Amino acid sequence: MPGTRKLGRASDHRMAMLRAMVTYLLENGKIETTVTRAKEVRSLTEKMITVAKDNSLNAKRQALAFVTKEDVVKKLFDEIAPKYKDVNGGYCRITKTGPRRGDAAEMCIIELVDDKAPVEEKKAKKK
């Protein structure tokens, strides 16, 4: 279940941080952060993309209730969600980059997956 890691923050601070990170990821397509934060952001981002694939008024209201910028919600519904209309999950990729210099926290890059080649290969293998 998303949102179960405490991340060393109070509930409202944690949720605000995760909402901001999801918004930034949807806006820019890539974030460098710690692994535990990235795992939380991945689950919440994938939920938002799945909601946006519906493209109904209720889905837009749900997305606006979570994502902090209206233009990012518009981008989510117009550009990002249609790109993944034939894919069931796996919209984000986490790539570990090594420890951070200051406190040796395990760092990674979380990004939206753009390549459609693996999806086409899977469809070809099934046929």
Side-chain angles (χ1 to χ4, degrees), residues 7-58:
L7 302 174
R9 284 161 172 60
S11 302
D12 52 351
H13 184 188
R14 179 175 55 247
M15 206 59 215
M17 178 190 67
L18 291 173
R19 287 177 62 193
M21 290 180 79
V22 168
T23 303
Y24 191 80
L25 177 61
L26 292 172
E27 186 176 23
N28 298 314
K30 183 187 282 191
I31 298 178
E32 184 175 2
T33 184
T34 61
V35 173
T36 52
R37 286 183 188 174
K39 288 178 181 179
E40 286 295 312
V41 169
R42 174 178 56 188
S43 63
L44 294 171
T45 302
E46 291 193 0
K47 272 189 186 286
M48 282 296 105
I49 293 173
T50 303
V51 164
K53 285 167 62 173
D54 185 21
N55 203 13
S56 64
L57 179 61
N58 184 44

Side-chain angles (χ1 to χ4, degrees), residues 73-124:
V73 172
K74 181 165 177 46
K75 179 180 178 180
L76 174 65
F77 278 85
D78 294 344
E79 298 173 21
I80 298 172
K83 188 167 43 173
Y84 299 113
K85 68 176 185 258
D86 297 329
V87 183
N88 294 325
Y91 314 123
C92 298
R93 174 186 305 133
I94 295 177
T95 309
K96 293 183 180 180
T97 58
R100 184 163 49 195
R101 183 181 169 123
D103 60 355
E106 190 66 33
M107 298 298 287
C108 69
I109 294 175
I110 179 170
E111 58 189 348
L112 296 174
V113 176
D114 284 337
D115 54 311
K116 294 187 178 188
V119 175
E120 294 170 1
E121 289 176 12
K122 288 180 184 177
K123 287 183 180 179

